[in-house]
Amino acid sequence: MDWTPFKLCAPGQRPPRPRDLGLPEGLGDRLRTAAFAEMQAVHAFTWAVSRFDDVPEGLLDDWRRQIPQEEQHLALILQRMTELGLEPGARPVAPLIWESVRECATGKQFCLYIASAEERGRQAGMRLCQALQDTDPETVAIFQSIVDDERAHVALAATYYGWRP
């Protein structure tokens, strides 16, 4: 798997803790984590639509529609990082989402896992928006649009499997 432009942690190693959000490096840590999660989501949904045929009618099409949204989220965050002079590969990240989804044996298991990951990302995005609301409206606008999209992504698990976050 090509994770460019990110730098991966050594296998089994966790990424470093994010630095203080009041520092440019701390914002970079959060943007890097979010961008890498979006990249993992692109790979995960691409993999899932070719892997699982045991899902309710319509779910594969919904996943296919998510891929360009996840790609757009990734592009928006990477563009913002460029604007701020932040390097995606400045600190290592770990492909934990990707590794976890690859262990899913069924489409339902994948759907519930990825919905949970997307919900965690949505919550983190809301916290980031709150923290930056007075200082960085450009980043807030990007993450608010992502948060709005993720709400619909998470809802797929509820629609097809009755899952509630």
Side-chain angles (χ1 to χ4, degrees):
M1 185 64 58
D2 181 12
W3 296 111
T4 306
F6 300 96
K7 179 173 91 174
L8 294 186
C9 294
Q13 197 174 49
R14 305 266 318 171
R17 294 185 61 80
R19 293 166 283 196
D20 184 88
L21 187 55
L23 302 171
E25 297 86 2
L27 177 58
D29 292 347
R30 283 148 183 90
L31 295 179
R32 181 176 305 103
T33 297
F36 190 61
E38 298 295 346
M39 179 178 271
Q40 290 177 88
V42 169
H43 291 309
F45 285 112
T46 302
W47 173 78
V49 298
S50 66
R51 166 76 169 86
F52 299 113
D53 58 6
D54 63 339
V55 297
E57 186 175 335
L59 182 54
L60 291 178
D61 289 335
D62 285 335
W63 286 345
R64 282 185 192 97
R65 282 189 284 278
Q66 278 185 246
I67 295 167
Q69 289 178 343
E70 303 293 359
E71 290 170 332
Q72 180 184 27
H73 298 167
L74 172 61
L76 288 169
I77 298 168
L78 289 176
Q79 176 61 40
R80 184 65 181 144
M81 290 181 78
T82 297
E83 292 167 1
L84 295 171
L86 301 168
E87 291 293 325
R91 290 184 99 191
V93 293
L96 301 175
I97 296 170
W98 174 246
E99 291 168 358
S100 294
V101 298
R102 296 285 302 222
E103 293 178 12
C104 293
T106 67
K108 179 179 181 179
Q109 189 180 11
F110 171 85
C111 186
L112 299 180
Y113 177 83
I114 201 72
S116 176
E118 297 249 347
E119 178 60 18
R120 286 189 309 274
R122 192 180 77 78
Q123 294 292 327
M126 291 184 337
R127 288 190 302 274
L128 186 63
C129 287
Q130 181 70 30
L132 298 176
Q133 69 181 352
D134 296 329
T135 58
D136 189 347
E138 293 88 358
T139 300
V140 169
I142 291 166
F143 276 85
Q144 188 58 59
S145 72
I146 293 170
V147 163
D148 293 343
D149 287 345
E150 299 298 1
R151 183 176 290 112
H153 298 176
V154 171
L156 293 178
T159 298
Y160 288 100
Y161 294 109
W163 181 79
R164 299 282 182 245

